[in-house]
Amino acid sequence: MSSWRATVVPALLLVAMLSGCTAETSAEETTTPATPIPQDRAPAAVGEAHESEVPADWAEPGDVPVTPVDDLDGEARRALLRIPASSDPVDQACTRQDLTADLTFQDAAMGHRYGHLTVTNTGATDCAVRGYPGLGARGAWGNPFVNELQQNPMDLHGHYLPGGDEYVPQALDLGAGESAQLSVEWTGALGGAESEPLGELFLQPFRGADTLVVSEAAEVASDLSMFTTVKVGPFLPHDAEAEPDSG
């Protein structure tokens, strides 16, 4: 009897162990990888440019023709960003093809300029924005601007949002034709008559996305130049009362 047990029991244990391994392997093979949650990062800032970042001969127009903005591919436009968007794409994220962006002047005081950036969903379906946009600029002479740039939790009047630095942006769903807004301020080292004027202002709706050109920026922010400090708030619901009085 003891001889039978010595033979059969180890065999049964081996079968049980192999069955367990097979079950674990099967479970591992059928597990669906988790979907990454779109990350929204804290507001960021980039300080004064190192001299190695400043374009050579930036102080005067060059002899080389400026590449038209429509001839720049997505990579070249993203390379002009001084700071990227804070949020990864969310569900139904707005793309460059969905949006238009325009800059309107709001106020000026003691070397400060204030405006609103408005992004509008011109597509046929809903899309969403969230967080702080990426921003960058190119001068009319073709030089990439090396602005000090800050993403700040400020409302459409330039005041800190509830929670201050702890403010958490929410995704905004934009139906066809609907808009979101954000505050923008430019100050310090404003351009003068001899400075390279603004050519294009680029806005990135989400991290890694293609950028769009902000309409009217060169006219509205003509004194935004190479070393101007720029502050930008998060996407917020459109507020008609925050618009300047046209009367």
Side-chain angles (χ1 to χ4, degrees):
M1 180 69 92
S2 60
S3 175
W4 176 83
R5 287 179 178 174
T7 303
V8 173
V9 172
L12 292 174
L13 289 173
L14 179 60
V15 170
M17 291 172 64
L18 291 173
S19 298
C21 291
T22 302
E24 291 178 4
T25 302
S26 178
E28 290 175 0
E29 290 176 350
T30 58
T31 299
T32 301
T35 301
I37 299 174
Q39 181 180 0
D40 188 26
R41 301 160 186 82
V46 59
E48 183 178 353
H50 186 271
E51 61 181 12
S52 63
E53 299 178 85
V54 179
D57 302 324
W58 62 270
E60 57 185 21
D63 298 326
V64 180
V66 178
T67 303
V69 65
D70 291 338
D71 291 345
L72 298 175
D73 61 20
E75 183 177 353
R77 291 159 68 113
R78 283 190 296 272
L80 290 166
L81 289 173
R82 189 69 176 141
I83 199 168
S86 67
S87 179
D88 293 334
V90 297
D91 289 340
Q92 295 182 305
C94 294
T95 67
R96 179 170 69 89
Q97 289 73 26
D98 298 320
L99 299 174
T100 59
D102 62 88
L103 177 66
T104 54
F105 178 80
Q106 298 295 307
D107 201 1
M110 298 295 290
H112 294 259
R113 309 287 187 264
Y114 304 93
H116 285 163
L117 275 167
T118 301
V119 294
T120 302
N121 177 12
T122 57
T125 59
D126 295 0
C127 68
V129 293
R130 183 179 72 168
Y132 298 83
L135 217 62
R138 183 177 73 154
W141 304 342
N143 289 314
F145 281 1
V146 289
N147 308 104
E148 293 186 45
L149 207 148
Q150 304 168 18
Q151 295 169 331
N152 284 348
M154 55 187 182
D155 65 16
L156 297 177
H157 301 281
H159 306 139
Y160 265 92
L161 287 159
D165 292 338
E166 303 302 318
Y167 171 77
V168 178
Q170 302 298 313
L172 299 177
D173 292 324
L174 303 180
E178 292 183 338
S179 300
Q181 289 180 300
L182 51 92
S183 282
V184 61
E185 174 187 351
W186 59 104
T187 183
L190 295 172
E194 302 300 320
S195 303
E196 180 176 9
L198 177 64
E200 297 92 18
L201 184 66
F202 298 93
L203 180 144
Q204 184 186 48
F206 285 101
R207 182 70 65 101
D210 285 343
T211 64
L212 56 151
V213 178
V214 179
S215 299
E216 308 299 327
E219 293 75 25
V220 174
S222 59
D223 55 358
L224 194 163
S225 196
M226 178 68 72
F227 304 107
T228 306
T229 296
V230 182
K231 302 176 184 179
V232 63
F235 291 112
L236 297 171
H238 184 275
D239 182 2
E241 295 183 358
E243 295 299 315
D245 184 0
S246 59

